[in-house]
Amino acid sequence: MSNSFGRLFRFTTWGESHGEAIGCVIDGVPAQIPLCEADIQYWLNRRKPGQSKFTTQRQESDSVKILSGVFEGVTTGTALSLLIENEDQRSKDYGDIAQKYRPGHADYTYQMKYGVRDYRGGGRSSARETAMRVAAGAVARKILDKAGISVRGAMVQMGATVIDRAAWDWEITEQNPFWCPDAKTAAIWEAELLAIRKSGSSIGAVIEVQAQGVPVGLGEPIYGKLDADIAAAMMSINAVKGVEIGDGFAAANLQGEQNADCMRMENGQVVFQSNHAGGILGGISSGQPIITRFVVKPTSSLLIPVETVDKDGNNTIIITKGRHDPCVGIRAVPVGEAMLACVLADHYLLYKAYQG
Amino acid sequence: MSNSFGRLFRFTTWGESHGEAIGCVIDGVPAQIPLCEADIQYWLNRRKPGQSKFTTQRQESDSVKILSGVFEGVTTGTALSLLIENEDQRSKDYGDIAQKYRPGHADYTYQMKYGVRDYRGGGRSSARETAMRVAAGAVARKILDKAGISVRGAMVQMGATVIDRAAWDWEITEQNPFWCPDAKTAAIWEAELLAIRKSGSSIGAVIEVQAQGVPVGLGEPIYGKLDADIAAAMMSINAVKGVEIGDGFAAANLQGEQNADCMRMENGQVVFQSNHAGGILGGISSGQPIITRFVVKPTSSLLIPVETVDKDGNNTIIITKGRHDPCVGIRAVPVGEAMLACVLADHYLLYKAYQG
Amino acid sequence: MSNSFGRLFRFTTWGESHGEAIGCVIDGVPAQIPLCEADIQYWLNRRKPGQSKFTTQRQESDSVKILSGVFEGVTTGTALSLLIENEDQRSKDYGDIAQKYRPGHADYTYQMKYGVRDYRGGGRSSARETAMRVAAGAVARKILDKAGISVRGAMVQMGATVIDRAAWDWEITEQNPFWCPDAKTAAIWEAELLAIRKSGSSIGAVIEVQAQGVPVGLGEPIYGKLDADIAAAMMSINAVKGVEIGDGFAAANLQGEQNADCMRMENGQVVFQSNHAGGILGGISSGQPIITRFVVKPTSSLLIPVETVDKDGNNTIIITKGRHDPCVGIRAVPVGEAMLACVLADHYLLYKAYQG
Amino acid sequence: MSNSFGRLFRFTTWGESHGEAIGCVIDGVPAQIPLCEADIQYWLNRRKPGQSKFTTQRQESDSVKILSGVFEGVTTGTALSLLIENEDQRSKDYGDIAQKYRPGHADYTYQMKYGVRDYRGGGRSSARETAMRVAAGAVARKILDKAGISVRGAMVQMGATVIDRAAWDWEITEQNPFWCPDAKTAAIWEAELLAIRKSGSSIGAVIEVQAQGVPVGLGEPIYGKLDADIAAAMMSINAVKGVEIGDGFAAANLQGEQNADCMRMENGQVVFQSNHAGGILGGISSGQPIITRFVVKPTSSLLIPVETVDKDGNNTIIITKGRHDPCVGIRAVPVGEAMLACVLADHYLLYKAYQG
């Protein structure tokens, strides 16, 4: 169950960073949805490495193949199998990460838990796995499209520099390599990240993902809460250390009347006067946009030496050569979008089960 | 599945705030664990309403009964059924909350989702449900005890006032009504919260929960991650809007070498030089203490009037009379502890399944 | 998970035969279904002990209480908690079954697995647990009613005596203590079972359960098959050793053209010419009646002495005194009906999730 | 969830009969188990088509590839991905089965449920899927090997001809194309099946699968019973219409004292005097061999014309040309073995979770 996510819309991923291929199986896709490889490839290309100078230069076309579950252009209701061959898995010297544990990585915990690990490029713990989340998310979006629900994300903080929310423009996110919704901040980040990359270091970031068009009533109370599922989804992404819904941690500072999203009738409709709750009340969507944020720690694959130990129990230092993302938050944007899409598709199906 | 939590250690809760009783069924408790009602009652008493002037004055003895699963003083490996009768469910006028939606509460979303809701005291969406989380947590602790794992929590922020972490003393948490680990901050909070209560308002808070003695290797990679399960557990608690592991959102500001928890050999043991990761790497426990925080929004059950609508679609205002907690974060401390205990017990059983 | 059944319509039972009470929690009941205790009691009364001289003389009123999930006469969509107090749990001498293992019972396997067992009346392994299956089935029937699906059962074989299927009359099942659909066979069984009871022995039986009005399309292919779920449901009932769908084991003897349920158009509708398949093809309902049978072994609670061993590893013999059913197949009829109702309710909700 | 089986040892299959490939993902395989493709291929070859004149002449090498989860010759504890390319998927005229529903097949129910179906060779509903069950079973056997548990099967009835159990010899099963444990019966079946094949018909069969070396204590009571899981596993195999444990339906005819497996102490060990129960009491393994049987209906892919309807609602007849198994029971033997191995591996891991 470690490699599966979801209840009714459920996907299972497999594959290691430098193995032969990666893939996923998606169960619970309704029948008769038009689907082809290009529909999925579009979203994969947004996460693909090598898109700008700010992401890893690993060259992968990340071409997805649909191996089952589609017939004559539509889904059949049976298991969808997707596969991407790993092209850039040239044999190389993995000596250092084979022997030493990178601080902040899963190297140590995998070795202790399993007594063996595929150290090549991080093996199963590599963020390469997130390509299949994006692929699953592309299929989830097909279900959401029919329901009028859309999902999009942006990077809202890099290091200490936070965007100007007043300047938020979704179109800007497509025009800079950071998915930054504010052109001025994008320019600042560019200078900052160049300096960080040059120094061989890395930096953390905060990503925000929003869903529009979510009807009131998605989510289950108590333990199957929509926000609990979103929290698990986001926290399961590599390097994520925190998740917020709506005002999140800022709600600690608020008094009750400040935090209350007051309600008014407008043209026979309930209209909320604010969205501190991020679109979820009691675990159930309120009809407002769903807003979630998550923080990504700076990768510890660094050109700067750090102290560690090796498999034989010796103190040593490690420098992680190779092609790394100085800010993994950038590529986490499409991944976060995909995970929110998957959670919503799952809850949308669940919602239908109990209606009518 | 909405009312169940966990995989191998799995509990299912039921009951409404002003119904006849609340309860839970716990499945997956290993056999031969000594267990009596007093073992559970001890933890329930820490969450019980009416413990200080800062929690609701509702009077409930919250006396738990074990109805099944224990024979001759030990667990039998079969389903444990726990029940608490609701004593303070005197018939009263629920008129206002029956007709109007409290902003920030689940009133509106439940009504829209189900077309009916038990409005008495919030019904199923009331935090009264969390008593059964604490009860389940008490049983989880029995499993953790055998494994040498302990769990404890503290309130670390109320409104804008954050504790002085340098002054952290676990014994202090038992000596003030806030589970505050720092006596000076406790005194400040007391003054602040008296003022808030007097004004009829409420305030948010941040709770930190830690686990000691967790061996390396608990957790599953990819989607069954220990941190993903903790995130879901905490986010499922009433009023929670954010969850962090280790440095959490502060990690956005860090560079890679600052965030790396360096490792050294000491007396033949791996010792981490810091714990930015909060004891979890790649979804698996590292052997360091597990550290998680969550934020609780201020309750919107207020004596201050706020704008809302009623069931018939009219604009109105609501004042929520009754006995409410001005800072629900206080009683969230034992609940957060319980949820972490349940997640760890579940992963501990899962860990054993794959070992040896 | 051992004590839960179902996916979307999911119930969890608890309680021991001679404990304080037994109960269940039902999750996934759609909101706004009218439900009261009498609705459930009706079905419980059909399973209740002491109904005739052919079932155990244990006196239990088996009065069910609804503790949560119903408000103002309708389900709220939240967890339903049902409870029956055990009345006839008078303290008595359990000496023999405390020390000795009844051959054919779970005494030995429980003791070996758990190292402890509640031996009083069989504890958790007692068929008393099936009362809660019937209660859950009563709620499932409410969901099925709305969908036009009904479920009913009959005993079709007792010992070597098989009913005359040509004489099948559902009304007859209500007029004899065996749920026998054929009056002549009922009379024969009466004589046979009196003799068996008198001899202190017991006898096996076969039960058939049918569902009418099941639309085409319920069930999931491959592993979530409708017939696989029915098989698990029936096999989980105490004493069941085999399950069939449609022709079942008789299909071994058939040639393909004999077994094919040919199809014809009649008034614009597909009409099957026979129902060898028992209403399920490829794991999915065909629109024909669903037909399943299961076999119940003779209980080994006997007044006839049988060889066994005791807890201390000595050879001994055991005679099981007390009030036992000479043919547990009789009371298995309402239990089998309930389990089929639960499986169908679960699949009906699942079906809705993927439609439209 | 329709395409997944198991809890802790859990596999998910995908692929259509005439699609590009079929495959499965296995989650929950413990680390450090030596595993290579040949280990799996050995078992696949036993199920492979074209092994004798009595199975389909479709030519597939069924060469399995391991795409993930193995590193340096051992399992890593991460998801295992297995893939078999479909070689014999030559483009051909599927006209008849595209337009008409084969009676007794899933054609009609798939079309009604999904509104679309991959009719090529039966698509997802083809027994080709069972190749991946055998592959998963091969991995399950690796877990069972370590626990000293072995699984083997035989065909025990074909049409009306039942084996002579007194002549049972496991070595004989490897020496005839029927997995028949009795040479005389094998010879009779050969003649009978030649005649059936010649007539263009098909015949049903009964398969028995046994597990040796199962310790006492596997299985969960009530709903996670070992026998309930076996029943679901077997019933989920294509064409299966019934499942028995131990004496199965024959238990209907027995009196309690005949059915009781009496127990004696021998050399300090509990020894059962018979095995009517098939090694399972109260859902938990007793330490005796586990014995299960299932019936496979005759395939309705026939050269004999049968009445049916087409997609446009016209009465018609159908003759299913192509290469079919006249007795699908033969190839069901390795599939049944694999499913029992998977159920036992799953319960073995579950058992370990709660021990110690």
Side-chain angles (χ1 to χ4, degrees):
Chain A
M1 47 220 192
S2 168
N3 297 286
S4 296
F5 187 84
R7 294 183 192 86
L8 296 189
F9 178 86
R10 182 172 178 88
F11 63 94
T12 301
T13 71
W14 56 269
E16 285 86 33
S17 182
H18 287 67
E20 197 169 337
I22 57 172
C24 74
V25 184
I26 313 178
D27 208 345
V29 182
Q32 302 196 56
I33 297 177
L35 185 73
C36 64
E37 286 158 357
D39 293 333
I40 301 168
Q41 197 64 50
Y42 172 81
W43 296 102
L44 280 169
N45 289 349
R46 296 165 72 93
R47 194 214 72 105
K48 204 165 64 170
Q51 294 295 85
S52 80
K53 58 191 165 191
F54 298 113
T55 58
T56 172
Q57 295 307 300
R58 177 170 170 160
Q59 294 299 324
E60 298 270 9
S61 68
D62 274 4
S63 297
V64 70
K65 281 198 287 191
I66 300 176
L67 294 178
S68 73
V70 172
F71 185 63
E72 297 182 343
V74 297
T75 57
T76 59
T78 62
L80 217 66
S81 175
L82 306 180
L83 182 142
I84 295 173
E85 288 176 30
N86 286 333
E87 297 164 4
D88 192 13
Q89 43 162 329
R90 59 179 173 239
S91 169
K92 51 187 157 182
D93 176 16
Y94 291 104
D96 242 27
I97 61 169
Q99 294 304 320
K100 300 175 180 177
Y101 305 122
R102 288 167 293 171
H105 275 82
D107 301 339
Y108 174 70
T109 52
Y110 268 61
Q111 186 69 41
M112 290 298 109
K113 183 177 183 68
Y114 298 117
V116 58
R117 73 192 154 100
D118 181 345
Y119 48 75
R120 300 168 304 160
R124 183 68 179 144
S125 71
S126 164
R128 180 141 185 77
E129 187 270 345
T130 61
M132 299 320 305
R133 300 179 183 233
V134 172
V139 178
R141 284 178 191 269
K142 288 277 180 173
I143 297 170
L144 298 181
D145 284 350
K146 288 179 65 176
I149 302 170
S150 62
V151 172
R152 55 192 178 179
M155 199 160 93
V156 296
Q157 180 180 349
M158 193 191 77
T161 308
V162 180
I163 60 155
D164 174 11
R165 297 188 77 91
W168 191 302
D169 179 348
W170 281 106
E171 290 190 13
I172 299 291
T173 60
E174 304 283 336
Q175 295 163 13
N176 65 73
F178 306 103
W179 311 106
C180 179
D182 149 21
K184 281 189 191 164
T185 302
I188 298 168
W189 286 352
E190 177 146 9
E192 290 178 342
L193 197 53
L194 278 172
I196 285 165
R197 199 187 58 172
K198 200 174 235 173
S199 73
S201 186
S202 64
I203 191 74
V206 177
I207 288 89
E208 179 164 322
V209 186
Q210 299 189 6
Q212 309 283 333
V214 181
V216 59
L218 298 204
E220 296 292 313
I222 316 303
Y223 301 103
K225 282 177 168 165
L226 186 54
D227 37 3
D229 281 4
I230 292 171
M234 299 309 170
M235 196 66 96
S236 76
I237 300 171
N238 308 51
V240 171
K241 301 303 286 185
V243 185
E244 297 183 317
I245 305 289
D247 280 7
F249 279 89
N253 296 353
L254 297 180
Q255 292 196 196
E257 67 281 10
Q258 295 170 314
N259 183 66
D261 297 315
C262 291
M263 301 160 85
R264 294 282 87 180
M265 296 304 298
E266 290 181 16
N267 304 318
Q269 298 284 325
V270 170
V271 177
F272 291 90
Q273 305 300 299
S274 54
N275 190 7
H276 296 284
I280 303 175
L281 290 168
I284 298 169
S285 63
S286 66
Q288 288 197 283
I290 288 175
I291 297 170
T292 182
R293 272 178 307 283
F294 58 93
V295 60
V296 175
K297 70 179 181 186
T299 180
S300 22
S301 292
L302 303 165
L303 289 169
I304 297 170
V306 284
E307 292 183 330
T308 192
V309 301
D310 66 20
K311 279 178 67 177
D312 302 322
N314 304 305
N315 283 335
T316 183
I317 62 164
I318 189 167
I319 296 174
T320 314
K321 289 168 198 152
R323 300 152 303 181
H324 299 288
D325 292 25
C327 178
V328 289
I330 298 171
R331 289 172 64 208
V333 174
V335 178
E337 291 175 355
M339 291 307 290
L340 184 56
C342 289
V343 170
L344 290 171
D346 193 31
H347 274 283
Y348 179 69
L349 296 177
L350 206 47
Y351 169 82
K352 287 204 304 161
Y354 294 115
Q355 293 303 109
Chain B
M1 46 218 193
S2 168
N3 297 286
S4 296
F5 187 83
R7 294 183 190 86
L8 296 189
F9 178 87
R10 181 173 179 87
F11 64 94
T12 302
T13 71
W14 57 267
E16 285 86 34
S17 181
H18 287 68
E20 197 169 336
I22 58 172
C24 74
V25 184
I26 313 179
D27 208 344
V29 182
Q32 301 196 56
I33 297 177
L35 185 73
C36 66
E37 286 158 356
D39 294 333
I40 301 168
Q41 198 63 50
Y42 172 80
W43 297 102
L44 280 169
N45 289 348
R46 297 165 72 91
R47 193 214 72 105
K48 205 166 64 171
Q51 295 294 86
S52 80
K53 59 192 164 190
F54 299 113
T55 58
T56 172
Q57 296 308 299
R58 177 171 172 159
Q59 293 301 323
E60 298 271 10
S61 68
D62 274 3
S63 297
V64 70
K65 281 198 287 192
I66 299 176
L67 294 178
S68 72
V70 172
F71 184 63
E72 297 182 344
V74 297
T75 56
T76 59
T78 62
L80 217 66
S81 174
L82 307 179
L83 183 141
I84 295 173
E85 286 175 31
N86 287 332
E87 297 163 4
D88 192 14
Q89 44 161 329
R90 59 179 172 241
S91 169
K92 53 186 154 184
D93 176 17
Y94 291 103
D96 243 26
I97 61 169
Q99 295 304 319
K100 301 173 180 178
Y101 305 123
R102 288 167 292 171
H105 274 82
D107 300 339
Y108 175 69
T109 53
Y110 268 62
Q111 187 68 41
M112 289 298 109
K113 181 177 184 70
Y114 298 117
V116 58
R117 73 192 155 99
D118 181 344
Y119 49 75
R120 301 167 304 160
R124 183 69 179 144
S125 71
S126 164
R128 180 142 184 76
E129 187 270 345
T130 61
M132 299 321 305
R133 300 177 184 234
V134 172
V139 178
R141 284 178 191 269
K142 288 277 180 174
I143 296 170
L144 298 181
D145 283 350
K146 289 180 63 178
I149 302 170
S150 62
V151 171
R152 55 193 177 178
M155 200 160 91
V156 297
Q157 180 179 349
M158 193 192 76
T161 308
V162 181
I163 60 154
D164 173 11
R165 297 188 78 91
W168 191 301
D169 178 348
W170 282 107
E171 289 190 14
I172 299 291
T173 60
E174 304 282 337
Q175 296 163 13
N176 65 73
F178 306 103
W179 310 106
C180 179
D182 149 22
K184 282 190 190 162
T185 302
I188 298 168
W189 286 351
E190 178 145 9
E192 290 177 343
L193 197 54
L194 279 172
I196 285 164
R197 199 187 59 173
K198 198 174 235 172
S199 73
S201 186
S202 64
I203 191 74
V206 177
I207 287 89
E208 179 164 323
V209 186
Q210 299 188 6
Q212 308 282 333
V214 181
V216 60
L218 298 204
E220 296 291 313
I222 315 302
Y223 300 103
K225 283 177 167 163
L226 185 55
D227 38 2
D229 281 4
I230 292 171
M234 299 307 170
M235 195 67 96
S236 77
I237 300 171
N238 308 49
V240 172
K241 301 303 285 184
V243 185
E244 295 183 319
I245 306 289
D247 280 6
F249 279 89
N253 296 352
L254 297 180
Q255 293 196 195
E257 67 280 11
Q258 296 169 315
N259 183 67
D261 297 315
C262 291
M263 302 161 84
R264 293 283 86 181
M265 295 305 298
E266 290 181 16
N267 304 319
Q269 298 283 326
V270 170
V271 177
F272 290 89
Q273 305 301 299
S274 54
N275 190 8
H276 297 285
I280 302 175
L281 290 168
I284 299 169
S285 63
S286 66
Q288 289 196 282
I290 288 174
I291 298 171
T292 182
R293 275 179 304 284
F294 59 91
V295 61
V296 175
K297 71 179 180 184
T299 180
S300 21
S301 292
L302 302 164
L303 288 170
I304 297 169
V306 284
E307 292 183 330
T308 192
V309 301
D310 66 20
K311 278 179 68 176
D312 303 321
N314 303 306
N315 284 334
T316 182
I317 60 164
I318 188 167
I319 296 172
T320 315
K321 289 168 199 152
R323 302 152 303 182
H324 299 289
D325 292 24
C327 178
V328 289
I330 298 170
R331 289 173 63 209
V333 174
V335 179
E337 290 175 353
M339 290 306 289
L340 183 57
C342 289
V343 170
L344 290 172
D346 193 31
H347 275 282
Y348 179 70
L349 296 177
L350 206 47
Y351 169 82
K352 288 204 301 162
Y354 294 115
Q355 293 305 108
Chain C
M1 46 216 193
S2 167
N3 298 286
S4 297
F5 187 84
R7 297 184 190 86
L8 296 189
F9 178 85
R10 181 173 179 88
F11 64 94
T12 301
T13 71
W14 57 267
E16 285 85 35
S17 181
H18 287 67
E20 197 168 336
I22 58 172
C24 74
V25 184
I26 313 178
D27 208 345
V29 182
Q32 301 195 59
I33 297 177
L35 185 73
C36 66
E37 285 157 357
D39 293 332
I40 301 168
Q41 198 64 51
Y42 172 80
W43 297 102
L44 280 169
N45 289 349
R46 296 165 73 92
R47 192 213 73 104
K48 206 166 64 172
Q51 294 294 87
S52 80
K53 57 191 163 189
F54 299 112
T55 58
T56 171
Q57 295 308 302
R58 178 171 170 159
Q59 293 300 324
E60 299 271 9
S61 69
D62 274 4
S63 297
V64 70
K65 281 198 287 190
I66 299 176
L67 294 178
S68 72
V70 172
F71 184 62
E72 296 181 345
V74 296
T75 57
T76 60
T78 62
L80 217 66
S81 174
L82 307 179
L83 184 141
I84 295 173
E85 286 174 32
N86 286 332
E87 295 164 5
D88 192 12
Q89 43 162 326
R90 57 175 177 244
S91 169
K92 52 186 155 182
D93 176 18
Y94 291 103
D96 242 25
I97 60 170
Q99 295 304 319
K100 301 174 181 177
Y101 305 123
R102 288 169 291 170
H105 274 83
D107 301 339
Y108 174 70
T109 52
Y110 269 60
Q111 187 69 39
M112 291 297 110
K113 182 177 182 71
Y114 298 118
V116 58
R117 73 193 154 100
D118 182 344
Y119 49 74
R120 301 168 305 161
R124 183 67 179 144
S125 71
S126 164
R128 179 139 186 76
E129 188 270 346
T130 61
M132 299 321 304
R133 300 179 184 232
V134 172
V139 178
R141 284 178 191 269
K142 287 278 180 173
I143 296 170
L144 298 181
D145 283 349
K146 288 179 64 177
I149 301 170
S150 63
V151 172
R152 55 192 177 179
M155 201 159 93
V156 295
Q157 180 179 350
M158 193 191 77
T161 309
V162 182
I163 60 155
D164 173 10
R165 297 189 77 91
W168 191 301
D169 178 347
W170 281 107
E171 288 190 16
I172 299 291
T173 60
E174 305 282 336
Q175 295 163 13
N176 64 74
F178 306 102
W179 311 106
C180 179
D182 150 22
K184 282 190 189 161
T185 301
I188 298 167
W189 287 351
E190 179 146 8
E192 290 177 341
L193 196 53
L194 278 172
I196 286 164
R197 201 187 58 173
K198 199 173 234 174
S199 73
S201 186
S202 62
I203 191 74
V206 177
I207 287 90
E208 178 164 322
V209 186
Q210 299 189 5
Q212 307 283 333
V214 181
V216 59
L218 297 205
E220 296 290 314
I222 316 302
Y223 301 104
K225 282 176 168 163
L226 185 54
D227 38 2
D229 281 5
I230 291 171
M234 299 310 169
M235 196 67 96
S236 77
I237 299 171
N238 308 48
V240 172
K241 301 304 284 185
V243 185
E244 296 183 318
I245 305 290
D247 280 6
F249 278 89
N253 297 353
L254 297 181
Q255 292 197 196
E257 67 280 11
Q258 295 169 314
N259 184 66
D261 296 316
C262 292
M263 302 160 84
R264 296 281 88 182
M265 296 305 298
E266 290 181 17
N267 304 318
Q269 299 283 328
V270 169
V271 176
F272 289 90
Q273 305 301 300
S274 54
N275 190 8
H276 297 284
I280 302 175
L281 290 168
I284 299 169
S285 63
S286 66
Q288 288 196 282
I290 287 175
I291 297 171
T292 182
R293 273 178 305 283
F294 58 92
V295 61
V296 175
K297 70 179 181 186
T299 181
S300 21
S301 293
L302 303 165
L303 288 170
I304 297 170
V306 283
E307 292 183 330
T308 190
V309 301
D310 67 18
K311 278 178 68 176
D312 303 321
N314 303 306
N315 283 334
T316 183
I317 60 163
I318 190 166
I319 297 172
T320 314
K321 289 169 199 154
R323 301 153 303 182
H324 299 288
D325 292 24
C327 178
V328 290
I330 298 171
R331 289 172 65 210
V333 174
V335 178
E337 289 175 354
M339 291 307 288
L340 183 57
C342 289
V343 170
L344 290 172
D346 193 31
H347 275 281
Y348 179 69
L349 296 177
L350 205 48
Y351 168 82
K352 289 204 303 162
Y354 294 115
Q355 293 303 107
Chain D
M1 45 219 194
S2 167
N3 297 286
S4 297
F5 187 84
R7 296 182 189 86
L8 296 189
F9 178 86
R10 182 174 177 85
F11 64 95
T12 302
T13 71
W14 56 268
E16 284 86 34
S17 181
H18 287 66
E20 197 169 336
I22 59 173
C24 75
V25 184
I26 312 177
D27 209 345
V29 182
Q32 302 195 57
I33 296 177
L35 186 73
C36 66
E37 286 158 355
D39 293 333
I40 301 168
Q41 196 65 48
Y42 172 80
W43 298 102
L44 280 169
N45 289 349
R46 296 165 72 92
R47 193 213 71 104
K48 206 166 63 171
Q51 294 295 86
S52 80
K53 58 191 165 190
F54 299 112
T55 58
T56 172
Q57 296 307 301
R58 177 172 170 158
Q59 293 300 323
E60 298 271 9
S61 68
D62 273 5
S63 297
V64 70
K65 282 198 287 190
I66 300 176
L67 294 178
S68 72
V70 172
F71 185 62
E72 297 181 344
V74 297
T75 57
T76 60
T78 61
L80 216 67
S81 175
L82 307 179
L83 183 141
I84 294 173
E85 286 176 30
N86 286 332
E87 296 164 4
D88 193 14
Q89 43 162 327
R90 59 177 174 243
S91 167
K92 51 187 156 182
D93 175 18
Y94 290 104
D96 242 28
I97 61 169
Q99 294 305 319
K100 301 174 180 177
Y101 306 122
R102 287 169 291 171
H105 274 82
D107 301 339
Y108 174 70
T109 52
Y110 269 59
Q111 186 70 40
M112 290 298 109
K113 183 176 182 70
Y114 298 118
V116 59
R117 73 191 155 101
D118 182 345
Y119 48 75
R120 300 168 304 161
R124 183 69 178 143
S125 71
S126 164
R128 180 138 185 78
E129 188 270 344
T130 61
M132 299 321 305
R133 300 180 184 232
V134 172
V139 178
R141 284 179 192 268
K142 288 276 181 175
I143 297 170
L144 298 182
D145 283 350
K146 288 179 64 177
I149 302 169
S150 62
V151 172
R152 55 192 177 180
M155 201 159 93
V156 296
Q157 180 180 351
M158 193 191 77
T161 309
V162 181
I163 60 155
D164 173 10
R165 297 188 77 91
W168 191 300
D169 178 347
W170 281 106
E171 289 190 15
I172 299 291
T173 59
E174 304 284 334
Q175 295 163 11
N176 65 74
F178 306 102
W179 311 107
C180 179
D182 151 21
K184 282 189 191 161
T185 303
I188 298 168
W189 286 352
E190 180 147 7
E192 290 177 342
L193 197 54
L194 278 173
I196 286 165
R197 199 186 59 172
K198 200 173 234 173
S199 73
S201 186
S202 64
I203 190 75
V206 177
I207 287 90
E208 178 165 323
V209 186
Q210 299 188 6
Q212 308 284 333
V214 182
V216 60
L218 297 205
E220 297 290 314
I222 316 302
Y223 301 103
K225 281 177 168 163
L226 185 55
D227 38 2
D229 282 4
I230 292 171
M234 298 310 169
M235 196 66 97
S236 77
I237 299 171
N238 307 50
V240 172
K241 300 305 286 183
V243 185
E244 296 183 318
I245 305 289
D247 280 6
F249 278 89
N253 296 353
L254 296 180
Q255 292 198 196
E257 67 281 11
Q258 296 169 313
N259 183 65
D261 297 315
C262 292
M263 302 160 84
R264 295 280 89 180
M265 295 306 297
E266 291 181 15
N267 304 318
Q269 298 284 328
V270 170
V271 176
F272 290 90
Q273 305 300 300
S274 54
N275 190 9
H276 296 285
I280 302 175
L281 291 168
I284 298 170
S285 62
S286 66
Q288 288 196 282
I290 288 175
I291 297 170
T292 182
R293 274 178 305 284
F294 58 92
V295 61
V296 175
K297 70 180 181 186
T299 181
S300 22
S301 292
L302 303 165
L303 289 169
I304 296 169
V306 283
E307 291 184 330
T308 191
V309 301
D310 66 20
K311 279 178 67 178
D312 303 321
N314 303 306
N315 283 335
T316 182
I317 61 164
I318 188 166
I319 296 173
T320 314
K321 290 167 198 155
R323 300 153 303 183
H324 299 289
D325 291 24
C327 178
V328 291
I330 299 171
R331 290 172 64 208
V333 174
V335 178
E337 290 176 354
M339 291 308 288
L340 183 57
C342 290
V343 169
L344 290 172
D346 193 31
H347 274 281
Y348 178 69
L349 297 177
L350 206 47
Y351 169 81
K352 288 204 304 162
Y354 294 115
Q355 294 303 108

